[in-house]
Amino acid sequence: MRDMDVRKLRLLSELDARGTVAEVASSLHMTPSAVSQQIAALGREVGVQLIEPDGRRVRLTGAAKVLVEHAHNILAEVERAWTGLTSYTTGNRVQVRIAGHDGVLGGLGLDVAVRLREVRPDLLVSLHEVSPDQSVAMLLRGEVDVLLGAEIGFEPIVGNGRLLATSVVIDQFDLVLPACHRLACAPTVGLTDLAMDTWVFVNDSMCREIGLAACQAAGFRPTVAHALGDWATTLAAVRMGLGVALVPRLMLTELPPGVVARTPIGEPLRHHVVAITRTGTEQAPHIAVVLDTLTSVIDGRGQRDIA
C-alpha cells in the first residue's frame, strides 16, 4: 500500500503557492531546514524528485506540479472530513473563528457576530483583528475559519488551491472632512482639491496603500500628519480638525457628529471585499452560515449597489 503524509503534502502545496522555502517556513512557524527535509522525505516516499535548484532558490519539478494538483483535492477532502466531525468533537456549541483587518472586520465582523447570535445561538463566534499576511498563515494553520479582507491585501491566496475566496461586496472609499472644512458643503470635492491639506491615515497597510496610491495618481503626495491605530481614532482626529481622511464606506455606517463624508469626484476608489476559507470547509454548516450572514448584512445596508 502506498502512503503519503498529508502534512508533507501541505508543505508542498504551500511551496507552490509561496515560491520560497523561507516564506513557507515563516508562515507555518517552522525552520527552512525542517521544510526542506519534509519535502525531501515526501519525494522519497513517492519515488520522484520534487524540487530542483534555481539559482539561490528552488523550484518545483514537473512531477511536483502533478502532485500539487492532486494534493489540493486531497487536502480539501481532509478539510471536509474534519469539518464534518466538528459537531461531534466540540459538544453542543460549535466554534467559528473570524479574522480580518480593521478596515473590514470593524465594519462587518461586529454586525455579523450580532446577527449570528440571533440566528445561530449554538455557535461560539470569536473575532480576531490581524494583518492580512498574518491572517492567511493563521487560516492555513487552522487557527481561524474565515478571513474578511480586501482582495488587494491577500496576494498569497492567488493560485493557492487550498484557499477559496468568496466575493462579499465591492466597497468604496469616501472622503471624510471636518464639518467646518472649507469644502464640507461644496457642490463637489475631488482629491486634488485637498492636495494642500494635511491627511490622517490609519495604520492599516492595505487602506494606507490604497489612499496613498490614489493621491499620487491624482498628482500629489499627501502630507501625512497623523498615522493612527484604528478608524474611530482617525475619525476623531478629523472631527478635531487635524486633517482629512479616506475611509472605507463599510466604516461609515454611523457617521460621528462633527465630520462629513463626501464621495470624491472622478473614478470611484474601490476595494473588493472577500471572505476566504480553506477549500473544503465552505459548505460546513457553521462556516456556510457565516458566508450567508455576510450577504444578509450587506444586503440590509443596501451596499451591493456600490459596484
Side-chain angles (χ1 to χ4, degrees), residues 13 16-17 68 72-73 76 157-164 278-280:
S13 176
D16 178 57
V68 164
H72 291 164
N73 294 328
I157 73 171
V158 177
N160 191 329
R162 290 191 59 203
L163 299 176
L164 177 67
R278 292 185 301 279
T279 302

Side-chain angles (χ1 to χ4, degrees), residues 74-91:
I74 293 169
L75 294 170
E77 287 302 321
V78 170
E79 292 289 355
R80 291 187 183 98
W82 278 116
T83 53
L85 291 171
T86 299
S87 60
Y88 295 95
T89 58
T90 59

